[in-house]
Amino acid sequence: MAPKLQTRVKEIIGAPNDDEVQVILNQWADNLTRYKSKAKEIADACADNTTDSKATETQAFIDENLEEYRAELFKLSQDVCTIKQSIQIRIPEIKEEDNLNGFESQLTSGSAGDKGQDKAAILPLAGKREYHGARAAIEEKMNPVGKDAEPSKAPSYQRQLNQLDMDIATRMSLSWSALHRATLNILVAYSNNQKKLVAPRIVSDRSWS
């Protein structure tokens, strides 16, 4: 990289800020207990909410928790980008002999050591939209619109709605557990490799040293 461009890029990106990363990691450590509690709370609260009389209450509970989960997942994604950028600035080129135990690749893939386990059960950022879409499809069959349309009397539709609520509650519980597992894996990996990350072996005109 030309000297002038290299200087400009440094100004844009900024120097590595280990204090900012440490603040993030400490917040994650503080959140571990809350993630476990949320997983248990949702599992317990929705375990017996399968009757028609509790359907509205259950849906409101799910909506609230889906929004909380979405906000938490978005914040964690931003945090991972900050940590990853800090590492990439210090270590422009990861080599096999650096022996970072796949930590940088964990951040890149977002797997955080999960290796794809329970991937289908984990809710994405768009989980709330997908939930409402699935609910709307069933509700439209229960209450069709049109000149000669009549509400369906099939009890299976209501059972479908109840089961949908239970399924999404189960996925929420698993997703909070996955956040706990992922953040814990990254905390352990960062701790195990902290010396290499803060003072990498590579020192060249491409690094910030």
Side-chain angles (χ1 to χ4, degrees):
M1 186 184 295
K4 288 185 178 180
L5 180 58
Q6 186 179 50
T7 300
R8 182 58 178 150
V9 170
K10 289 181 180 181
E11 291 173 353
I12 294 172
I13 297 177
N17 188 346
D18 191 56
D19 289 342
E20 183 179 2
V21 172
Q22 292 299 321
V23 168
I24 290 173
L25 295 175
N26 281 320
Q27 288 175 342
W28 285 12
D30 292 339
N31 286 338
L32 288 175
T33 301
R34 181 167 65 87
Y35 292 165
K36 287 187 70 173
S37 297
K38 287 297 299 183
K40 187 176 187 306
E41 173 194 350
I42 294 170
D44 291 346
C46 294
D48 62 345
N49 280 4
T50 55
T51 64
D52 295 353
S53 62
K54 292 184 177 182
T56 302
E57 178 182 341
T58 301
Q59 187 179 2
F61 178 81
I62 289 173
D63 275 346
E64 178 182 340
N65 279 280
L66 279 173
E67 184 57 34
E68 182 180 356
Y69 171 79
R70 188 203 66 79
E72 193 72 30
L73 188 60
F74 180 65
K75 176 64 167 59
L76 284 173
S77 299
Q78 291 179 308
D79 289 346
V80 167
C81 287
T82 299
I83 297 172
K84 185 170 180 287
Q85 177 177 296
S86 176
I87 294 171
Q88 288 179 325
I89 289 173
R90 288 193 178 91
I91 309 176
E93 181 182 0
I94 297 291
K95 295 184 178 179
E96 186 67 27
E97 57 267 33
D98 289 326
N99 191 29
L100 285 171
N101 300 326
F103 175 60
E104 200 272 345
S105 64
Q106 287 179 15
L107 293 174
T108 302
S109 65
S111 65
D114 213 20
K115 297 182 180 179
Q117 294 178 2
D118 305 324
K119 195 171 183 180
I122 306 307
L123 289 167
L125 277 170
K128 188 174 182 178
R129 173 176 56 79
E130 293 176 2
Y131 166 62
H132 282 292
R135 239 185 176 279
I138 300 172
E139 289 169 345
E140 286 176 357
K141 293 178 182 178
M142 295 176 67
N143 298 287
V145 295
K147 184 178 178 181
D148 300 321
E150 294 183 1
S152 173
K153 297 180 181 180
S156 293
Y157 283 134
Q158 185 58 55
R159 287 197 289 269
Q160 271 189 302
L161 282 177
N162 293 339
Q163 189 59 52
L164 175 64
D165 290 343
M166 294 306 101
D167 290 346
I168 202 72
T170 299
R171 289 184 67 189
M172 271 198 299
S173 182
L174 290 172
S175 296
W176 281 108
S177 294
L179 289 188
H180 176 273
R181 183 169 60 251
T183 53
L184 180 59
N185 285 339
I186 292 179
L187 284 169
V188 171
Y190 196 98
S191 177
N192 289 342
N193 294 282
Q194 191 162 11
K195 289 183 179 180
K196 294 186 180 70
L197 294 169
V198 174
R201 176 184 61 78
I202 300 173
V203 178
S204 70
D205 57 356
R206 296 171 57 200
S207 73
W208 300 108
S209 300

